[in-house]
PDB file of all heavy atoms in Angstrom:
ATOM      1  N   ILE X 108     -15.214  -3.224  21.452  1.00 96.00           N
ATOM      2  CA  ILE X 108     -15.346  -1.774  21.409  1.00 96.00           C
ATOM      3  C   ILE X 108     -13.970  -1.177  21.440  1.00 96.00           C
ATOM      4  O   ILE X 108     -13.037  -1.698  22.310  1.00 96.00           O
ATOM      5  CB  ILE X 108     -16.094  -1.272  22.518  1.00 96.00           C
ATOM      6  CG1 ILE X 108     -17.612  -1.892  22.360  1.00 96.00           C
ATOM      7  CG2 ILE X 108     -16.249   0.215  22.598  1.00 96.00           C
ATOM      8  CD1 ILE X 108     -18.530  -1.567  23.659  1.00 96.00           C
ATOM      9  N   ASP X 109     -13.699  -0.200  20.711  1.00 95.00           N
ATOM     10  CA  ASP X 109     -12.333   0.354  20.635  1.00 95.00           C
ATOM     11  C   ASP X 109     -12.216   1.480  21.785  1.00 95.00           C
ATOM     12  O   ASP X 109     -12.968   2.299  22.028  1.00 95.00           O
ATOM     13  CB  ASP X 109     -12.151   1.186  19.391  1.00 95.00           C
ATOM     14  CG  ASP X 109     -10.786   1.943  19.255  1.00 95.00           C
ATOM     15  OD1 ASP X 109      -9.950   1.462  20.023  1.00 95.00           O
ATOM     16  OD2 ASP X 109     -10.676   2.963  18.518  1.00 95.00           O
ATOM     17  N   LYS X 110     -11.072   1.191  22.610  1.00 95.00           N
ATOM     18  CA  LYS X 110     -10.834   1.953  23.854  1.00 95.00           C
ATOM     19  C   LYS X 110      -9.438   2.313  23.886  1.00 95.00           C
ATOM     20  O   LYS X 110      -8.385   1.639  23.249  1.00 95.00           O
ATOM     21  CB  LYS X 110     -11.196   1.369  25.016  1.00 95.00           C
ATOM     22  CG  LYS X 110     -12.754   1.112  25.376  1.00 95.00           C
ATOM     23  CD  LYS X 110     -13.463   2.354  25.529  1.00 95.00           C
ATOM     24  CE  LYS X 110     -14.884   2.172  25.923  1.00 95.00           C
ATOM     25  NZ  LYS X 110     -15.481   3.446  26.235  1.00 95.00           N
ATOM     26  N   ASP X 111      -8.986   3.335  24.736  1.00 94.00           N
ATOM     27  CA  ASP X 111      -7.563   3.660  24.834  1.00 94.00           C
ATOM     28  C   ASP X 111      -6.982   2.725  25.853  1.00 94.00           C
ATOM     29  O   ASP X 111      -7.664   2.042  26.667  1.00 94.00           O
ATOM     30  CB  ASP X 111      -7.433   5.054  25.481  1.00 94.00           C
ATOM     31  CG  ASP X 111      -6.008   5.618  25.488  1.00 94.00           C
ATOM     32  OD1 ASP X 111      -5.554   5.958  24.388  1.00 94.00           O
ATOM     33  OD2 ASP X 111      -5.485   5.552  26.511  1.00 94.00           O
ATOM     34  N   VAL X 112      -5.676   2.559  25.680  1.00 93.00           N
ATOM     35  CA  VAL X 112      -5.012   1.626  26.528  1.00 93.00           C
ATOM     36  C   VAL X 112      -5.201   1.950  28.067  1.00 93.00           C
ATOM     37  O   VAL X 112      -5.374   1.041  28.842  1.00 93.00           O
ATOM     38  CB  VAL X 112      -3.376   1.630  26.239  1.00 93.00           C
ATOM     39  CG1 VAL X 112      -2.678   0.823  27.311  1.00 93.00           C
ATOM     40  CG2 VAL X 112      -3.186   0.974  24.845  1.00 93.00           C
ATOM     41  N   SER X 113      -5.203   3.322  28.368  1.00 94.00           N
ATOM     42  CA  SER X 113      -5.436   3.692  29.740  1.00 94.00           C
ATOM     43  C   SER X 113      -6.710   3.143  30.312  1.00 94.00           C
ATOM     44  O   SER X 113      -6.886   2.737  31.453  1.00 94.00           O
ATOM     45  CB  SER X 113      -5.308   5.182  29.875  1.00 94.00           C
ATOM     46  OG  SER X 113      -6.264   5.754  29.091  1.00 94.00           O
ATOM     47  N   PHE X 114      -7.889   3.237  29.463  1.00 94.00           N
ATOM     48  CA  PHE X 114      -9.077   2.660  29.939  1.00 94.00           C
ATOM     49  C   PHE X 114      -9.031   1.158  30.317  1.00 94.00           C
ATOM     50  O   PHE X 114      -9.420   0.809  31.332  1.00 94.00           O
ATOM     51  CB  PHE X 114     -10.103   2.946  28.771  1.00 94.00           C
ATOM     52  CG  PHE X 114     -11.514   2.148  29.164  1.00 94.00           C
ATOM     53  CD1 PHE X 114     -12.452   2.894  29.847  1.00 94.00           C
ATOM     54  CD2 PHE X 114     -11.661   0.963  28.689  1.00 94.00           C
ATOM     55  CE1 PHE X 114     -13.587   2.245  30.122  1.00 94.00           C
ATOM     56  CE2 PHE X 114     -12.842   0.236  28.791  1.00 94.00           C
ATOM     57  CZ  PHE X 114     -13.880   0.888  29.625  1.00 94.00           C
ATOM     58  N   ILE X 115      -8.417   0.473  29.393  1.00 93.00           N
ATOM     59  CA  ILE X 115      -8.159  -1.036  29.564  1.00 93.00           C
ATOM     60  C   ILE X 115      -7.423  -1.351  30.870  1.00 93.00           C
ATOM     61  O   ILE X 115      -7.802  -2.203  31.560  1.00 93.00           O
ATOM     62  CB  ILE X 115      -7.643  -1.600  28.337  1.00 93.00           C
ATOM     63  CG1 ILE X 115      -8.582  -1.554  27.132  1.00 93.00           C
ATOM     64  CG2 ILE X 115      -7.218  -3.159  28.607  1.00 93.00           C
ATOM     65  CD1 ILE X 115      -8.093  -2.104  25.881  1.00 93.00           C
ATOM     66  N   ARG X 116      -6.307  -0.625  30.979  1.00 92.00           N
ATOM     67  CA  ARG X 116      -5.508  -0.764  32.137  1.00 92.00           C
ATOM     68  C   ARG X 116      -6.237  -0.584  33.513  1.00 92.00           C
ATOM     69  O   ARG X 116      -6.034  -1.209  34.472  1.00 92.00           O
ATOM     70  CB  ARG X 116      -4.224  -0.013  32.006  1.00 92.00           C
ATOM     71  CG  ARG X 116      -3.276  -0.554  31.053  1.00 92.00           C
ATOM     72  CD  ARG X 116      -2.732  -1.901  31.096  1.00 92.00           C
ATOM     73  NE  ARG X 116      -1.705  -2.300  30.182  1.00 92.00           N
ATOM     74  CZ  ARG X 116      -1.424  -3.456  29.854  1.00 92.00           C
ATOM     75  NH1 ARG X 116      -2.278  -4.464  30.123  1.00 92.00           N
ATOM     76  NH2 ARG X 116      -0.422  -3.682  29.009  1.00 92.00           N
ATOM     77  N   GLU X 117      -7.037   0.485  33.401  1.00 93.00           N
ATOM     78  CA  GLU X 117      -7.799   0.870  34.671  1.00 93.00           C
ATOM     79  C   GLU X 117      -9.003  -0.026  34.908  1.00 93.00           C
ATOM     80  O   GLU X 117      -9.317  -0.470  35.991  1.00 93.00           O
ATOM     81  CB  GLU X 117      -8.302   2.348  34.630  1.00 93.00           C
ATOM     82  CG  GLU X 117      -9.021   2.869  35.792  1.00 93.00           C
ATOM     83  CD  GLU X 117      -9.351   4.257  35.898  1.00 93.00           C
ATOM     84  OE1 GLU X 117      -8.952   4.987  34.802  1.00 93.00           O
ATOM     85  OE2 GLU X 117      -9.867   4.809  36.856  1.00 93.00           O
ATOM     86  N   ALA X 118      -9.688  -0.337  33.837  1.00 93.00           N
ATOM     87  CA  ALA X 118     -10.864  -1.311  34.007  1.00 93.00           C
ATOM     88  C   ALA X 118     -10.474  -2.765  34.297  1.00 93.00           C
ATOM     89  O   ALA X 118     -11.223  -3.391  35.100  1.00 93.00           O
ATOM     90  CB  ALA X 118     -11.642  -1.279  32.735  1.00 93.00           C
ATOM     91  N   TYR X 119      -9.275  -3.101  33.748  1.00 93.00           N
ATOM     92  CA  TYR X 119      -8.809  -4.553  34.038  1.00 93.00           C
ATOM     93  C   TYR X 119      -7.393  -4.415  34.397  1.00 93.00           C
ATOM     94  O   TYR X 119      -6.548  -4.741  33.640  1.00 93.00           O
ATOM     95  CB  TYR X 119      -9.054  -5.370  32.796  1.00 93.00           C
ATOM     96  CG  TYR X 119     -10.476  -5.469  32.338  1.00 93.00           C
ATOM     97  CD1 TYR X 119     -10.913  -4.526  31.335  1.00 93.00           C
ATOM     98  CD2 TYR X 119     -11.373  -6.266  32.893  1.00 93.00           C
ATOM     99  CE1 TYR X 119     -12.331  -4.594  30.888  1.00 93.00           C
ATOM    100  CE2 TYR X 119     -12.626  -6.475  32.438  1.00 93.00           C
ATOM    101  CZ  TYR X 119     -13.117  -5.521  31.533  1.00 93.00           C
ATOM    102  OH  TYR X 119     -14.451  -5.584  31.156  1.00 93.00           O
ATOM    103  N   TYR X 130     -13.300  -5.351  24.783  1.00 96.00           N
ATOM    104  CA  TYR X 130     -12.635  -4.161  24.163  1.00 96.00           C
ATOM    105  C   TYR X 130     -11.241  -4.469  23.654  1.00 96.00           C
ATOM    106  O   TYR X 130     -10.637  -5.465  23.814  1.00 96.00           O
ATOM    107  CB  TYR X 130     -12.385  -3.211  25.495  1.00 96.00           C
ATOM    108  CG  TYR X 130     -13.615  -2.938  26.339  1.00 96.00           C
ATOM    109  CD1 TYR X 130     -13.817  -3.523  27.576  1.00 96.00           C
ATOM    110  CD2 TYR X 130     -14.506  -2.010  25.925  1.00 96.00           C
ATOM    111  CE1 TYR X 130     -14.863  -3.315  28.231  1.00 96.00           C
ATOM    112  CE2 TYR X 130     -15.652  -1.676  26.643  1.00 96.00           C
ATOM    113  CZ  TYR X 130     -15.816  -2.319  27.780  1.00 96.00           C
ATOM    114  OH  TYR X 130     -17.006  -2.138  28.547  1.00 96.00           O
ATOM    115  N   ALA X 149      -9.230  -6.831  26.026  1.00 93.00           N
ATOM    116  CA  ALA X 149      -9.584  -6.892  27.430  1.00 93.00           C
ATOM    117  C   ALA X 149     -11.134  -7.293  27.558  1.00 93.00           C
ATOM    118  O   ALA X 149     -11.914  -6.759  26.801  1.00 93.00           O
ATOM    119  CB  ALA X 149      -9.394  -5.445  28.113  1.00 93.00           C
TER     120      ALA X 149
END
Side-chain angles (χ1 to χ4, degrees):
I108 300 171
D109 180 19
K110 291 290 186 180
D111 190 76
V112 172
S113 59
F114 170 89
I115 290 177
R116 291 304 193 202
E117 183 173 1
Y119 302 95
Y130 307 101

